[in-house]
């Protein structure tokens, strides 16, 4: 005679028992995370520390681990040798224009590729993706020649106009719109009499907030940190961006590392503030595709 095994049903309102993980693997995971966090934060920490020390203090062994008292002198030396705030404004102007135009045109192109059916759509989208395989350094000479032929040397538009529609931005917005916005919603808006651009402005844009925040943040940081493009285009010190202006502080024989670290720290602060304000939107945009059922 066999007895049937009775499965105990969970009591309503009672939490299921939590799984217990071995202490050693869990401790190893925490240690790995701590090491990764330290390696990520340490360069920023030492950058701010070195901005408050003299050149001799920076190169002593062991290096200083805490803030010094030379910040005022480093800041004064930076302002004396560079039109730093002018260069920072140039970086902000270029980054804002590049981000705004990229968000508009990439979202518009992503909407067209995701929601419209037209002849040659897949071929055209494949050509857009193929441009991602070309290293940017291969475009330096043609880019410089085209900008010189247009008379755009030493002009900010030489950098933000060609970057209006990036292949990565089009791909990101196309994938997000195609996976998160149903076609029925667009068809319903057409039945209600909305124009095509009205659908884009009133339906698509509000629903693509996380992806637009992610693309905007990535584009802003890339434009803010850009060095090679400004190096090719800008010829006068008044048009230099912050990375290009800070590079002029370096020399083979004599580099004021305290002033340089002070300028780098001031340049990084806006990015840290931007990341702090947009971190939630960035995480939502990166994980949106993974959470779709």
């Amino acid at each position: 005679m066999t007895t049937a095994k009775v499965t105990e049903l969970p009591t309503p309102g009672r939490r299921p028992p939590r799984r217990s993980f071995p202490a050693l693997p869990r401790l190893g995971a925490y240690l790995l995370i701590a090491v990764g966090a330290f390696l990520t934060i340490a360069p920023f920490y030492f950058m701010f520390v070195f901005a408050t020390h003299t050149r001799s203090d920076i190169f002593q062994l062991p290096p200083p681990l805490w803030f010094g008292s030379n910040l005022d002198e480093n800041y004064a030396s930076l302002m004396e040798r560079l039109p730093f705030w002018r260069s920072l404004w140039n970086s902000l102007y270029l980054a804002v224009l590049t981000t705004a135009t990229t968000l508009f045109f990439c979202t518009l192109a992503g909407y067209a590729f995701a929601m419209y059916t037209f002849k040659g759509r897949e071929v055209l989208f494949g050509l857009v993706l193929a441009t991602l395989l070309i290293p940017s350094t291969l475009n330096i000479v043609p880019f410089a020649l085209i900008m010189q032929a247009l008379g755009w040397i030493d002009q900010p538009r030489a950098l933000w106009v060609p970057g209006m529609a990036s292949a990565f931005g089009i791909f990101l917005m196309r994938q997000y719109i195609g996976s998160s916005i149903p076609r029925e919603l667009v068809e319903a808006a057409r039945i209600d009499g909305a124009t095509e651009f009205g659908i884009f402005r009133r339906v698509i844009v509000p629903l693509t907030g996380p992806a637009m925040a992610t693309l905007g943040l990535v584009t802003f940081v890339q434009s803010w940190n850009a060095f090679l493009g400004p190096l090719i285009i800008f010829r006068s010190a008044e048009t230099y961006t912050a990375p290009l202006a800070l590079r002029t502080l370096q020399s083979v024989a004599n580099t004021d590392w305290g002033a340089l670290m002070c300028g780098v720290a001031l340049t990084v602060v806006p990015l840290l503030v931007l990341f702090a304000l947009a971190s939630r939107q960035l995480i939502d945009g990166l994980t949106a595709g993974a959470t779709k059922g």
Side-chain angles (χ1 to χ4, degrees):
M1 181 177 182
T2 59
T3 58
K5 184 177 180 180
V6 179
T7 303
E8 182 180 357
L9 297 177
T11 306
R14 181 182 175 185
R15 293 182 178 178
R18 298 179 61 182
R19 294 183 178 179
S20 60
F21 295 94
L24 188 59
R26 183 170 53 188
L27 181 62
Y30 289 156
L31 181 62
L32 184 62
I33 293 174
V35 171
F38 173 78
L39 294 177
T40 302
I41 297 173
F44 294 96
Y45 174 76
F46 282 105
M47 174 185 63
F48 286 108
V49 169
F50 291 163
T52 63
H53 285 275
T54 62
R55 183 180 186 276
S56 58
D57 292 337
I58 293 174
F59 285 96
Q60 71 180 2
L61 293 176
L65 301 178
W66 192 245
F67 299 94
S69 58
N70 206 61
L71 179 61
D72 293 339
E73 291 79 359
N74 291 337
Y75 179 79
S77 177
L78 177 68
M79 295 299 112
E80 180 182 353
R81 300 181 63 177
L82 289 180
F84 177 75
W85 294 112
R86 172 70 181 179
S87 300
L88 201 67
W89 164 254
N90 292 338
S91 292
L92 180 63
Y93 171 77
L94 188 61
V96 169
L97 271 180
T98 303
T99 303
T101 53
T102 297
L103 284 178
F104 176 75
F105 286 106
C106 288
T107 306
L108 196 64
Y111 167 58
F113 278 120
M115 293 295 174
Y116 286 84
T117 302
F118 53 90
K119 186 177 180 179
R121 183 185 68 168
E122 298 302 327
V123 174
L124 183 59
F125 186 66
L127 291 176
V128 172
L129 293 183
T131 61
L132 293 173
L133 304 177
I134 303 175
S136 58
T137 53
L138 295 181
N139 298 327
I140 293 176
V141 175
F143 171 72
L145 293 176
I146 292 173
M147 294 303 110
Q148 187 173 8
L150 293 175
W152 287 6
I153 296 297
D154 220 21
Q155 299 292 330
R157 60 175 175 266
L159 295 177
W160 66 265
V161 170
M164 279 183 174
S166 66
F168 169 75
I170 294 174
F171 171 75
L172 176 66
M173 300 309 299
R174 190 257 192 185
Q175 296 301 108
Y176 185 88
I177 293 173
S179 62
S180 63
I181 300 178
R183 290 179 177 269
E184 291 78 9
L185 190 62
V186 176
E187 296 295 336
R190 290 195 182 104
I191 294 174
D192 289 339
T195 61
E196 295 302 318
F197 191 77
I199 296 173
F200 171 76
R201 182 170 60 89
R202 297 177 182 177
V203 178
I204 301 299
V205 172
L207 295 177
T208 55
M212 292 182 69
T214 302
L215 178 59
L217 187 59
V218 171
T219 304
F220 187 92
V221 172
Q222 287 180 343
S223 177
W224 184 270
N225 293 332
F227 179 78
L228 187 58
L231 180 64
I232 296 172
I233 296 300
F234 297 139
R235 306 294 171 82
S236 59
E238 291 76 15
T239 59
Y240 282 177
T241 58
L244 195 58
L246 291 174
R247 178 62 181 84
T248 62
L249 291 179
Q250 293 181 265
S251 63
V252 177
N254 185 22
T255 300
D256 190 347
W257 289 100
L260 181 60
M261 288 295 102
C262 181
V264 173
L266 291 174
T267 305
V268 168
V269 166
L271 295 183
L272 296 179
V273 174
L274 182 63
F275 267 105
L277 296 177
S279 58
R280 179 63 181 272
Q281 289 79 6
L282 176 63
I283 295 173
D284 289 345
L286 293 176
T287 59
T291 57
K292 296 297 177 184

